[in-house]
Amino acid sequence: MKANCWMGTKKMEVQDVPDPRILNRHDAIVKISSTAICGSDLHMYNGLLATMQRGDVLGHEFMGEVVEVGPDVKNLKVGDRVIVPFPISCGKCYYCQEGWPSICENTNPNGWMQEALWGHATAGVYGYSHMLGAYAGGQAEYARVPFADVNPLKVPSDVPDEKVLFLTDAFPTGYFAADNCEIQPGDTIAIWGAGPIGQFAARSAFLLGAERVIVIDRVDYRLRMAEQAGAETINFEEADSVLDVLKDITGGRGPDACIDAVGMQASGGGILGALDHVKQAVKLETDRPMVLREVMRAVRNGGRISIVGDYIGIIDNVPFGAVMNRGITMRMGQAPVQRYYHQLLERILNGDMDPSFVATHTLPLSETPKGYELMDKKEDGCVKVVVKPGM
């Protein structure tokens, strides 16, 4: 079959790879109808994620038709149409039972790598390095889905792919970001990042009752997309101080909650921003925490911070004293997609949300490398690329 493979920094190639096959009695094989490029895939594209190997198949947002099931998969049958969440859950361990499939104890065979860096392991993830399990991803014609009796969600046959595809990651992650904010009526929520996650976080914040949503970014067309949802926007390259602007529009108090939807590849100016770029380049820190510093300083006293932008390792010059002394609550993590996907599918079906708005580009599998370049360079109004292996 054809699949999009990582071949080095800024080098993707669509190659012939072996077809997936059933390896465990709980496996299924899915024929991919749609997949997507996630902003976090750009970490690998830019060579920032360790434990990648040439030829790794990428992609953790995919859906399609079940074409084969293992003998112990009782809830799926050949012909079912499913979305596949990015974290792989066993469904039985302590964390899966507690609603945290993204930190499953049993699905990452390379958990020892994470334990060396983070102290504990998390769940396996499709197409996201050997540290997260070395599972082949879904930017391909077919994918093996382990624990298929737990993870895939069947979706109606009459709903377009673009309306349900983002249940695999982007929509639940944005909703999780907003849910972490414990939104109360009248709240003002500030969101750093107007990429797909920030867009879904903004819309989810309104769904959960926020009165005002303010989105911070530097890309005009992404800010305009946030404005279409009713958000106010700040272009951080045009503002003398984002913190001062936020204080001005919140009566000096600051937002009730702040969301970091950017993570390790944050952009920003000033001396600390320049130092972050240098330190990341020479491996003195793995992540650039410009946004994290800003949300810590911007949120009101006693407010909440929600972090869903990816961080992978070591950061420097973080004003943690501001968080402790000002009584700020922080919640974060990889989205527990399976906790949310049933209720979010209902929101799609009843018209509360149409996630297809974020899909700005559709490409055949053969042009997946072009999609990475478009998203990385933010060219041609690109917010989210959907890949169709059948095109």
Side-chain angles (χ1 to χ4, degrees):
M1 70 170 184
K2 299 289 186 182
N4 181 56
C5 301
W6 184 89
M7 301 303 290
T9 299
K10 293 188 182 295
K11 189 174 183 181
M12 302 291 183
E13 292 181 7
V14 176
Q15 298 186 341
D16 289 308
V17 302
D19 291 347
R21 57 190 180 88
I22 299 289
L23 300 178
N24 183 282
R25 296 174 63 88
H26 296 272
D27 288 351
I29 305 297
V30 172
K31 181 180 181 182
I32 309 300
S33 60
S34 294
T35 182
I37 301 173
C38 180
S40 58
D41 288 332
L42 298 179
H43 304 330
M44 294 172 287
Y45 179 73
N46 287 305
L48 299 176
L49 200 62
T51 72
M52 292 296 297
Q53 296 182 12
R54 286 171 58 87
D56 285 347
V57 178
L58 300 190
H60 57 267
E61 297 179 300
F62 61 95
M63 65 174 293
E65 178 185 347
V66 176
V67 294
E68 188 178 357
V69 294
D72 288 345
V73 178
K74 306 301 182 185
N75 60 326
L76 296 178
K77 64 182 184 302
V78 172
D80 282 343
R81 184 176 183 236
V82 297
I83 63 99
V84 181
F86 79 88
I88 303 170
S89 166
C90 74
K92 297 179 180 179
C93 74
Y94 171 81
Y95 295 108
C96 290
Q97 291 291 307
E98 289 293 310
W100 278 104
S102 52
I103 47 177
C104 174
E105 296 178 300
N106 295 324
T107 59
N108 186 353
N110 294 332
W112 61 271
M113 295 183 185
Q114 294 176 316
E115 289 169 4
L117 182 62
W118 298 339
H120 295 271
T122 64
V125 174
Y126 297 97
Y128 209 73
S129 85
H130 288 252
M131 186 170 73
L132 276 83
Y135 290 95
Q139 289 170 8
E141 294 179 297
Y142 295 87
R144 180 178 77 94
V145 176
F147 299 93
D149 47 351
V150 174
N151 293 290
L153 174 68
K154 289 189 279 190
V155 293
S157 59
D158 60 345
V159 180
D161 278 15
E162 284 77 7
K163 278 196 172 185
V164 291
L165 172 62
F166 305 119
L167 285 170
T168 59
D169 179 1
F171 184 12
T173 297
Y175 192 89
F176 173 60
D179 196 25
N180 279 345
C181 293
E182 299 178 344
I183 295 170
Q184 302 298 314
D187 274 357
T188 295
I189 312 300
I191 302 170
W192 276 253
I197 303 304
Q199 300 290 344
F200 281 115
R203 287 158 174 79
S204 297
F206 282 126
L207 283 177
L208 292 172
E211 182 174 314
R212 301 175 74 185
V213 174
I214 305 160
V215 176
I216 300 102
D217 203 292
R218 63 175 176 174
V219 182
D220 285 341
Y221 69 81
R222 303 205 310 184
L223 291 171
R224 288 195 298 271
M225 180 177 279
E227 289 168 357
Q228 291 168 5
E232 302 164 58
T233 59
I234 300 171
N235 186 321
F236 69 78
E237 289 190 333
E238 297 176 358
D240 291 335
S241 167
V242 171
L243 270 61
D244 287 346
V245 174
L246 288 172
K247 282 186 176 181
D248 286 345
I249 61 181
T250 58
R253 179 173 291 168
D256 297 289
C258 293
I259 295 172
D260 176 355
V262 180
M264 63 179 289
Q265 285 192 260
S267 299
I271 294 174
L272 283 179
L275 283 173
D276 282 332
H277 280 274
V278 172
K279 284 187 286 188
Q280 189 181 55
V282 299
K283 310 301 183 185
L284 290 178
E285 66 178 353
T286 57
D287 308 347
R288 301 196 297 263
M290 285 90 89
V291 165
L292 187 59
R293 292 189 194 107
E294 202 156 71
V295 300
M296 287 178 166
R297 296 181 62 209
V299 69
R300 69 163 171 83
N301 289 349
R304 289 89 65 193
I305 291 174
S306 172
I307 305 169
V308 293
D310 279 348
Y311 289 91
I312 62 168
I314 308 302
I315 52 180
D316 197 10
N317 288 320
V318 173
F320 197 77
V323 176
M324 183 270 166
N325 287 286
R326 294 171 52 223
I328 295 164
T329 299
M330 299 177 68
R331 297 180 66 184
M332 63 201 80
Q334 296 289 352
V337 173
Q338 294 88 327
R339 184 197 302 177
Y340 292 108
Y341 62 12
H342 288 285
Q343 62 175 288
L344 297 185
L345 176 59
E346 286 302 311
R347 285 192 177 273
I348 292 169
L349 297 180
N350 68 23
D352 289 342
M353 176 77 79
D354 180 355
S356 62
F357 78 90
V358 81
T360 55
H361 292 68
T362 302
L363 299 173
L365 182 61
S366 61
E367 295 184 22
T368 308
K370 175 185 175 182
Y372 274 82
E373 186 175 355
L374 284 171
M375 284 190 65
D376 187 52
K377 294 182 177 179
K378 299 177 179 64
E379 292 181 339
D380 192 32
C382 184
V383 175
K384 188 77 167 176
V385 174
V386 174
V387 173
K388 301 274 191 179
M391 283 180 66

